[in-house]
RNA sequence: GGGAGCUUAGCUCAGCUGGGAGAGCACAUGCCUUACAAGCAUGGGGUCACUGGUUCAAGCCCAGUAGUUCCCACCA
């Protein structure tokens, strides 16, 4: 046993303890046929990222679950790893390249640039891992993976080729979201929508060979440069006569067929729509249906092309120019205000350009069938449940997934083009065309969406496509813990990938959490500069305090506001535990081995019973993912029950503290044993939540004792044990507590300082429980002497009284007694008791209640009534004697 | 246009399958009672947004209203 410092200093403890765990290899997932596996895969953070509070939140939850299951005896495995984060990482390296050397990636060329990215990865890739360790995460680092390591890349390749062979991956010309800043295609999920005030412009298009004109409405006049038709609804009488005729595109002069299509809503705008097949998804479809000409007028950098004098203009400058020119020609008929939903790049917030482009797609419909089924039939359960609806709705309406990105950092698409037109897609790099045999083949330059590899994470990290023992034993994983912001990006894609390739759901539970916001409820972001660095919090308050703060006061799926200074309360809690442990240890003396059981006092049974019930409830709560509730219960037990009561109760029993009682050699073995037992058990219960301090104290208590587990994290998680259930004793002790509380309250009301002790006479029908507690009652109720009796003193005047339902308490503090005031007070309490009794009697007199309410509820009400009645008679007795 | 969440003490939030409203912080009063002032004791403070319904019983379930936040959506 080692002595502890007076205050807890996490900075002296945490790194040391983490090393102890790593040295003991306690995080290692061990395949054990006699155990049930429990697996979590980490949501892989960006390899070059830094830990933010969102990670802290996410990983704290995972660590609590995995430690809990590990202690319950599961073969627990938490697979860690990082994500190559295509765009994010590439942008960072490009930025550095530009700032330091004034170069672009094209200056370096693909190969040299990728070398730079790998170098960057090697420099910064371990940072996030080290930061996760500071949080205390018990990941199996020996199994750490990276989305671009050999195994994951092999999985990606296999999946791509396999889906291609099944016809579920194809390359085609489709409208995609193009970010002109990132210069790459994006998937629908990567586009954010925001509503903006905009204008709806009405443009006039003349009809060829006629005086008629058509007025079309558009929010994006610059796209008119790419118009190849005008469409009206076939039923629209206003325009029926023009269908089949030709309009002339102003400024450009292109002849536009006037076509009829049901897509056009006659009610909206003018009922006439300009059709720009290459720059609008609907127009693209119409273009397909009517076989329209396709004119691309906006390039990769959002500059105008194929449009004569407008060429080279930025899209917004082009808008101004076009409008000015139209106005000059008197063809801008009207401008009205209009709310517009605009798509922006989720990475850089640039307005994305819908543009037709040849890209690779995953054909989604066939993959959604099983992905929807497993959620609907509860094979996969979302916690909280409401997220399953969001998931299902998305899955039911999802469009094909654009997976090619015009980037270099990522998994290069395994497709080779031959001049013969054939595309060779292969698991191994081919040296010749799969059709004509020509060696002159060229690989697709694009890489895959980062989420393509993340989608395989639950099985690629376990070795798939190889049939590994890990995959066999640990797959499917159990719980996926993540924020609701990546349900579509990641969760949905893991589910359909798991179903397609493993024929098994990748996890049975998706445990969702919310976002961490700043103190004003705003999302934390770099641009706002309102981010809080968890590492700073850990340095200041300790990882345990951060973890505990995050997990309490928050319920599944809900956002939380973060106030750094509120970690202080949790640091104080850690310190409280620390000092409670010091108290236990300084009173332990030699820990003697005992034969047989010790006689337990009432208060011992009380605390053991409460602890025992706590153990049962905590496990239940964690099983139901109510981590905050579990944590709060442990907090209350430790602070209120153990520290504020039980420790105080043991003080008179332990000679070390009984300075006045010098002749006593007696050490209460029972108190010692119960203290250390309760301490050890609640530390164990708390360990998943506050791993560092609990381990440190455990080590201080038990290190070198071979009879005990080498680390608290290897102990079995406490369970409910019927042998330690003492409900009657619990209730009895609550009576004692109530009496002590009543005395303190009365003294406080009358401003009697604790130093002024007085005799205390307890009048009760249950003398045993009070007599047994005389010594601590004296201490806690500031009494000089305690007398337990069944009869009140003959002359009651001059006593301060306090009343509970099973005790009347008398303190001779005559100088403080004001009979009139006392009478008033008691009368007030009497009327309150009477009111309570009346309510209870009414309730119990209600036949519907006694008939329909469960017996237990009725009994509780009866008990309440009898307690209130007892209280009332005690109060009345006191009043009478006054 | 569809969908979801939230509204509980001064602040931030819990409240699990309906059975007498809780925590932290803040506030007030008194305490250095040798584990802990990062503490102890005592206390004040709530029309559980509003309206109606179901029920013996509603903060909790149902319907609606208001405010608020978010997600989804190819009406120019």
């Amino acid at each position: 046993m080692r002595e502890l410092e007076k205050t807890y200093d996490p900075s002296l403890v945490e790194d040391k303890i983490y090393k102890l765990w790593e040295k003991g290899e306690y995080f290692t997932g061990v395949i054990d046929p006699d155990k049930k596996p429990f697996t979590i895969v980490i949501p892989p953070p960006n390899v070059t990222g830094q830990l933010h509070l969102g990670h802290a939140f996410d990983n704290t939850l995972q660590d609590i679950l995995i430690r809990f299951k590990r202690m319950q005896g599961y073969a627990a495995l938490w697979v860690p790893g990082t994500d190559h984060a295509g765009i994010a990482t590439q942008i960072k390296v490009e930025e550095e390249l530009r700032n330091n050397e004034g170069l672009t990636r094209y200056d370096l060329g693909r190969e040299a640039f990728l070398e730079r990215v790998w170098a960057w990865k090697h420099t910064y890739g371990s940072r996030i891992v080290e930061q996760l360790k500071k949080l205390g995460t018990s990941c199996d680092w020996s199994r750490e993976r990276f989305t671009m390591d050999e195994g994951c890349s092999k999985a990606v390749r296999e999946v791509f080729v396999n889906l291609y062979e099944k016809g579920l991956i194809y390359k085609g010309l489709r409208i995609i979201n193009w970010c002109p800043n990132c210069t790459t295609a994006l998937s629908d999920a990567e586009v954010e929508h925001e509503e903006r005030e905009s204008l709806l412009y009405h443009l006039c298009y003349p009809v060829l060979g006629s005086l008629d004109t058509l007025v079309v409405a558009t929010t994006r006049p610059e796209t008119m440069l790419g118009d190849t038709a005008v469409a009206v609804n076939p039923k629209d009488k206003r325009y029926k006569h023009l269908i089949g005729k030709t309009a002339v595109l102003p400024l450009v002069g292109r002849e536009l067929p006037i076509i009829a299509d049901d897509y056009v809503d006659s009610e909206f705008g003018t009922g006439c729509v300009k059709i720009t097949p290459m720059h609008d998804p609907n127009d693209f479809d119409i273009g397909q249906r009517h076989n329209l000409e396709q004119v691309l007028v906006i390039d990769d950098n959002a500059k105008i092309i194929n449009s004569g004098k407008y060429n080279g203009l930025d899209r917004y400058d082009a808008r101004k120019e076009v409008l000015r020119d139209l106005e000059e020609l008197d063809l801008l008929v009207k401008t009205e205000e209009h709310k517009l939903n605009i798509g922006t790049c989720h990475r850089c917030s640039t307005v994305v350009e819908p543009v037709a482009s040849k890209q690779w797609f995953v054909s989604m419909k066939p993959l959604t069938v099983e992905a929807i089924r497993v959620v609907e039939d509860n094979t996969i359960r979302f916690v909280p449940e409401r997220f399953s609806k969001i998931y299902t709705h998305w899955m039911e309406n999802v469009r094909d997934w654009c997976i090619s990105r015009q980037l270099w950092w990522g998994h290069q698409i395994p497709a080779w083009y031959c001049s013969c037109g054939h595309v060779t897609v292969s698991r191994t790099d081919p040296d010749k065309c799969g059709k004509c045999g020509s060696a002159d083949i060229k690989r697709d330059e694009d890489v895959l969406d980062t989420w393509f590899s993340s989608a395989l994470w639950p099985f690629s990290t376990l070795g798939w496509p190889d049939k590994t023992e890990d995959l066999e034993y640990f797959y499917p994983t159990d719980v996926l813990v993540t924020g609701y912001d990546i349900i579509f990006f990641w969760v949905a894609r893991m589910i359909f990938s798991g179903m397609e390739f493993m024929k098994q759901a990748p996890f049975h539970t998706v445990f969702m959490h919310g976002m961490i916001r700043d103190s004003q409820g705003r999302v934390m972001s770099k641009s706002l500069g309102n981010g809080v660095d968890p590492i700073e919090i850990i340095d200041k308050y300790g990882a345990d305090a951060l973890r505990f703060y995050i997990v309490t006061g928050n319920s599944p799926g809900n956002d939380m506001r973060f106030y750094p200074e509120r970690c202080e309360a949790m640091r104080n809690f850690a310190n409280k535990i620390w000092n409670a442990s010091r108290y236990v240890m300084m009173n332990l003396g030699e820990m003697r081995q005992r034969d047989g059981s010790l006689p337990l006092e009432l208060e011992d049974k009380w605390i053991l019973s409460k602890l025992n019930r706590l153990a049962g409830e905590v496990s239940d709560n964690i099983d139901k993912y109510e981590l905050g509730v579990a944590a709060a219960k442990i907090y209350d037990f430790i602070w209120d029950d153990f520290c504020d009561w039980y420790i105080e109760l043991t003080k008179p029993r332990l000679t070390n503290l009984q300075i006045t009682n010098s002749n006593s050699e007696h050490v209460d073995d029972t108190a010692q044993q119960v203290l250390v037992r309760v301490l050890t058990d609640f530390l164990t219960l708390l360990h998943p939540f506050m791993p560092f301090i609990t381990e440190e104290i455990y080590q201080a208590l038990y290190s070198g004792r071979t009879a005990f587990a080498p680390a608290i994290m290897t102990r079995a998680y406490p369970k409910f044990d019927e042998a330690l259930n003492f409900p009657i004793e619990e209730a009895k002790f609550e009576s004692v507590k109530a009496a002590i509380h009543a005395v303190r309250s009365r003294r406080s009301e009358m401003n009697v300082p604790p130093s002024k002790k007085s005799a205390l006479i307890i009048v009760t029908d249950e003398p045993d429980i009070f007599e047994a507690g005389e010594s601590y009652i004296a201490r806690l109720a500031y009494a000089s002497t305690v007398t337990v009796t069944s009869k009140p003193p003959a002359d009651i005047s001059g006593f301060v009284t306090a009343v509970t339902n099973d005790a009347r308490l008398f303190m001779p503090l005559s100088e403080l007694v004001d009979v009139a005031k006392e009478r008033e007070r008691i009368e007030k309490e009497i009327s309150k008791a009477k009111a309570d009794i009346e309510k209870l009697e009414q309730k119990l007199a209600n036949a519907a209640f006694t008939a329909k309410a469960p017996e237990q509820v009725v009994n509780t009400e009866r008990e309440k009534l009898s307690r209130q009645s007892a209280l009332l008679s005690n109060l009345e007795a006191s009043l009478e004697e006054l």
Side-chain angles (χ1 to χ4, degrees):
Chain A
M1 207 166 71
R2 168 160 50 86
E3 241 179 79
L4 301 178
E5 297 299 316
K6 197 169 170 182
T7 51
Y8 175 58
D9 182 351
S11 67
L12 300 175
V13 167
E14 295 180 351
D15 290 348
K16 179 190 75 184
I17 290 294
Y18 203 88
K19 285 198 187 95
L20 175 110
W21 291 330
E22 286 199 298
K23 194 165 165 245
E25 297 183 357
Y26 304 135
F27 302 159
T28 309
V30 179
I31 294 175
D32 181 344
D34 296 330
K35 287 185 178 179
K36 275 172 75 176
F38 185 87
T39 313
I40 296 180
V41 289
I42 200 170
N46 291 1
V47 66
T48 63
Q50 288 195 60
L51 195 78
H52 56 67
L53 278 172
H55 294 125
F57 194 5
D58 193 54
N59 289 292
T60 295
L61 300 178
Q62 290 173 78
D63 197 46
I64 290 167
L65 293 178
I66 203 85
R67 284 180 187 267
F68 170 66
K69 287 292 179 178
R70 194 183 285 124
M71 291 169 89
Q72 281 192 328
Y74 287 80
L77 171 64
W78 185 8
V79 183
T82 50
D83 190 288
H84 66 281
I87 300 183
T89 308
Q90 175 165 323
I91 285 175
K92 269 188 202 163
V93 179
E94 283 186 289
E95 249 167 35
E96 193 210 38
L97 198 58
R98 189 167 53 244
N99 293 341
N100 296 349
E101 300 167 58
L103 298 175
T104 69
R105 72 186 212 242
Y106 301 100
D107 294 327
L108 282 188
R110 186 170 192 134
E111 208 169 312
F113 177 75
L114 285 178
E115 271 171 33
R116 294 290 186 102
V117 189
W118 277 107
W120 180 279
K121 186 253 173 194
H122 287 127
T123 309
Y124 295 106
S126 56
R127 180 175 55 186
I128 188 111
V129 168
E130 291 313 309
Q131 291 177 323
L132 282 170
K133 290 181 180 179
K134 291 211 70 123
L135 234 202
T137 54
S138 60
C139 302
D140 183 351
W141 299 108
S142 72
R143 285 181 166 91
E144 184 184 343
R145 300 300 299 269
F146 175 53
T147 47
M148 276 175 67
D149 66 22
E150 208 189 319
C152 289
S153 300
K154 188 175 170 188
V156 165
R157 185 82 170 246
E158 172 60 31
V159 165
F160 185 94
V161 176
N162 183 299
L163 289 176
Y164 180 79
E165 286 169 349
K166 290 180 196 157
L168 293 177
I169 277 183
Y170 64 92
K171 190 175 191 183
L173 184 70
R174 294 278 184 287
I175 294 279
I176 48 90
N177 310 288
W178 182 269
C179 176
N181 184 45
C182 303
T183 59
T184 178
L186 303 172
S187 66
D188 293 343
E190 286 164 303
V191 177
E192 277 166 15
H193 296 272
E194 53 182 273
E195 192 166 82
R196 286 194 193 169
E197 289 300 333
S198 172
L199 297 169
L200 187 63
Y201 304 93
H202 293 246
L203 314 180
C204 183
Y205 288 10
V207 177
L208 193 65
S210 139
L211 289 176
D212 277 330
T213 57
L214 284 172
V215 177
V216 297
T218 180
T219 54
R220 306 186 54 211
E222 71 279 11
T223 61
M224 62 94 69
L225 299 169
D227 282 3
T228 59
V230 175
V232 299
N233 190 288
K235 295 193 193 86
D236 194 332
K237 292 195 181 94
R238 292 171 295 176
Y239 304 114
K240 215 155 194 169
H241 65 291
L242 293 175
I243 295 167
K245 297 200 169 159
T246 303
V248 179
L249 184 61
L251 310 182
V252 179
R254 186 179 302 128
E255 294 190 356
L256 310 175
I258 299 169
I259 58 171
D261 197 287
D262 284 332
Y263 161 74
V264 179
D265 176 0
S266 309
E267 305 295 313
F268 188 88
T270 59
C272 234
V273 188
K274 61 190 269 311
I275 302 299
T276 321
M278 292 301 268
H279 298 283
D280 181 276
N282 296 310
D283 295 7
F284 183 82
D285 293 344
I286 293 174
Q288 298 282 308
R289 285 201 286 274
H290 298 268
N291 207 13
L292 297 176
E293 190 187 348
Q294 297 175 325
V295 181
L296 192 72
V297 294
I298 299 172
D299 74 2
D300 291 354
N301 299 304
K303 294 214 159 59
I304 303 297
I305 50 169
N306 299 327
S307 302
K309 72 165 203 173
Y310 302 100
N311 283 352
L313 287 177
D314 171 79
R315 52 186 166 168
Y316 297 117
D317 295 334
R319 175 176 304 178
K320 285 183 206 144
E321 287 286 306
V322 164
L323 285 171
R324 205 178 57 201
D325 292 348
L326 286 169
E327 211 162 5
E328 241 164 56
L329 294 168
D330 218 11
L331 295 174
L332 178 59
V333 196
K334 192 166 82 171
T335 305
E336 58 185 344
E337 286 183 3
H338 181 70
K339 278 208 176 80
L340 184 67
N341 253 317
I342 202 152
T344 60
C345 172
H346 121 286
R347 193 90 258 137
C348 70
S349 296
T350 305
V351 174
V352 299
E353 200 56 42
V355 60
S357 174
K358 274 200 105 173
Q359 300 286 344
W360 290 91
F361 295 87
V362 173
S363 181
M364 288 299 299
K365 261 281 157 309
L367 295 169
T368 61
V369 179
E370 283 293 277
I372 292 168
R373 182 186 63 80
V374 288
V375 169
E376 287 192 335
D377 71 11
N378 271 320
T379 306
I380 295 177
R381 202 167 62 94
F382 280 80
V383 177
E385 210 276 326
R386 66 173 184 269
F387 289 106
S388 62
K389 265 180 280 175
I390 295 173
Y391 165 89
T392 308
H393 179 260
W394 184 84
M395 203 52 106
E396 282 167 348
N397 295 288
V398 71
R399 295 192 294 165
D400 285 356
W401 176 18
C402 174
I403 51 170
S404 42
R405 295 289 177 276
Q406 286 61 50
L407 307 171
W408 288 350
W409 176 241
H411 301 96
Q412 195 173 352
I413 291 174
W416 282 258
Y417 303 101
C418 176
S419 53
C420 79
H422 182 73
V423 182
T424 308
V425 171
S426 166
R427 286 176 178 78
T428 54
D429 291 6
D431 47 18
K432 56 183 193 306
C433 174
K435 189 179 178 193
C436 73
S438 161
D440 186 20
I441 51 173
K442 198 164 167 287
R443 184 167 188 176
D444 195 310
E445 300 234 325
D446 292 348
V447 301
L448 290 166
D449 183 359
T450 297
W451 297 102
F452 192 90
S453 51
S454 322
L456 320 178
W457 193 245
F459 46 93
S460 66
T461 51
L462 293 173
W464 189 89
D466 296 334
K467 288 197 173 74
T468 61
E469 287 182 352
D470 272 6
L471 189 66
E472 176 68 27
Y473 185 75
F474 290 112
Y475 192 90
T477 74
D478 288 270
V479 182
L480 181 87
V481 182
T482 196
Y484 61 69
D485 55 332
I486 54 175
I487 294 179
F488 310 139
F489 282 113
W490 193 43
V491 179
R493 289 165 178 166
M494 278 191 288
I495 293 176
F496 73 68
S497 303
M499 295 313 297
E500 182 67 14
F501 291 95
M502 303 300 296
K503 305 295 170 206
Q504 217 175 351
F507 28 74
H508 56 71
T509 301
V510 183
F511 180 30
M512 313 275 349
H513 62 254
M515 304 293 113
I516 294 199
R517 298 170 174 275
D518 72 2
S519 55
Q520 295 163 56
R522 302 173 302 181
V523 207
M524 290 190 183
S525 75
K526 266 190 204 131
S527 52
L528 279 172
N530 60 346
V532 174
D533 181 358
I535 299 302
E536 276 176 32
I537 302 286
I538 290 172
D539 288 343
K540 193 164 175 196
Y541 301 106
D544 289 329
L546 173 63
R547 290 167 62 115
F548 211 77
Y549 172 44
I550 285 176
V551 82
T552 50
N554 177 263
S555 49
N558 290 342
D559 291 355
M560 82 178 280
R561 294 190 191 199
F562 193 87
Y563 298 78
E565 64 278 9
R566 290 191 187 173
C567 291
E568 201 177 310
M570 298 310 161
R571 182 211 47 190
N572 294 352
F573 178 50
N575 196 53
K576 187 78 182 172
I577 297 166
W578 187 255
N579 278 293
S581 307
R582 284 179 61 223
Y583 171 83
V584 174
M585 288 166 75
M586 63 207 288
N587 284 292
L588 223 46
E590 285 303 302
M591 254 205 282
R592 277 169 284 187
Q593 285 299 108
R594 289 274 140 205
D595 297 326
S597 55
L598 293 158
L600 295 172
E601 300 292 338
L602 182 66
E603 63 269 28
D604 300 327
K605 290 190 174 177
W606 169 76
I607 194 75
L608 287 168
S609 189
K610 284 212 133 192
L611 172 68
N612 183 45
R613 202 145 32 81
L614 176 73
E617 289 176 13
V618 164
S619 294
D620 280 354
N621 287 127
I622 300 178
D623 281 336
K624 289 192 267 180
Y625 302 96
E626 294 159 356
L627 306 188
V629 177
K633 283 179 181 170
I634 302 173
Y635 180 100
D636 290 345
F637 174 84
I638 293 175
W639 203 306
D640 300 343
D641 295 332
F642 186 71
C643 292
D644 289 348
W645 285 98
Y646 190 73
I647 281 185
E648 296 304 322
L649 302 173
T650 61
K651 283 179 179 174
R653 296 165 72 182
L654 298 168
T655 52
N656 293 24
L657 287 175
Q658 275 189 319
I659 296 152
T660 48
N661 192 1
S662 56
N663 64 345
S664 171
E665 281 288 302
H666 175 71
V667 176
D668 190 322
D669 291 329
T670 308
Q672 281 187 336
Q673 297 294 315
V674 174
L675 275 172
V676 76
R677 165 80 191 259
V678 175
L679 173 67
T680 308
D681 276 8
F682 79 62
L683 287 174
T684 311
L685 279 171
L686 183 62
H687 179 259
F689 301 87
M690 293 184 127
F692 290 111
I693 190 175
T694 50
E695 187 69 81
E696 171 69 8
I697 295 168
Y698 181 85
Q699 293 295 331
L701 262 173
Y702 290 102
S703 63
R705 294 171 191 273
T706 48
F708 297 94
I712 197 168
M713 75 165 286
T714 65
R715 291 191 90 227
Y717 207 69
K719 284 191 282 211
F720 180 83
D721 176 0
E722 192 50 53
L724 288 170
N725 192 27
F726 306 115
I728 292 162
E729 286 83 353
E730 266 192 67
K732 282 186 176 171
F733 185 73
E734 292 297 333
S735 289
V736 180
K737 270 179 76 179
I740 292 169
H741 185 81
V743 171
R744 283 169 171 176
S745 182
R746 291 291 293 126
R747 288 177 57 106
S748 183
E749 270 169 46
M750 309 183 82
N751 283 322
V752 188
S755 53
K756 185 180 170 85
K757 308 237 187 271
S758 104
L760 175 65
I761 299 165
I762 303 174
V763 181
T764 177
D765 295 336
E766 289 225 50
D768 297 4
I769 60 176
F770 291 97
E771 271 162 13
E774 269 177 21
S775 58
Y776 59 74
I777 291 172
R779 196 187 144 80
L780 298 180
Y782 316 107
S784 49
T785 57
V786 175
T787 313
V788 180
T789 165
S790 57
K791 285 212 178 79
D795 178 10
I796 206 80
S797 63
F799 283 87
V800 167
T801 61
V803 173
T804 71
N805 61 320
D806 47 19
R808 299 170 63 206
L809 305 132
F810 298 89
M811 290 158 275
L813 291 161
S814 51
E815 72 280 16
L816 296 169
V817 179
D818 176 331
V819 177
K821 261 189 169 175
E822 186 72 347
R823 188 174 290 279
E824 200 184 323
R825 184 186 66 83
I826 295 178
E827 277 170 350
K828 231 169 116 183
E829 281 188 41
I830 285 176
S831 64
K832 191 177 168 292
K834 279 184 172 165
D836 286 349
I837 287 168
E838 198 182 338
K839 257 168 74 180
L840 288 162
E841 278 175 342
Q842 264 177 19
K843 199 168 188 180
L844 286 162
N846 181 351
F849 172 69
T850 45
K852 292 190 182 177
E855 198 185 324
Q856 203 194 335
V857 173
V858 178
N859 285 340
T860 313
E861 296 302 301
R862 289 210 175 103
E863 275 163 33
K864 278 183 206 160
L865 179 59
S866 81
R867 233 177 300 142
Q868 285 298 312
S869 306
L871 178 66
L872 179 64
S873 75
N874 279 346
L875 284 166
E876 280 170 344
S878 293
L879 187 66
E880 207 169 294
E881 286 155 0
L882 217 59

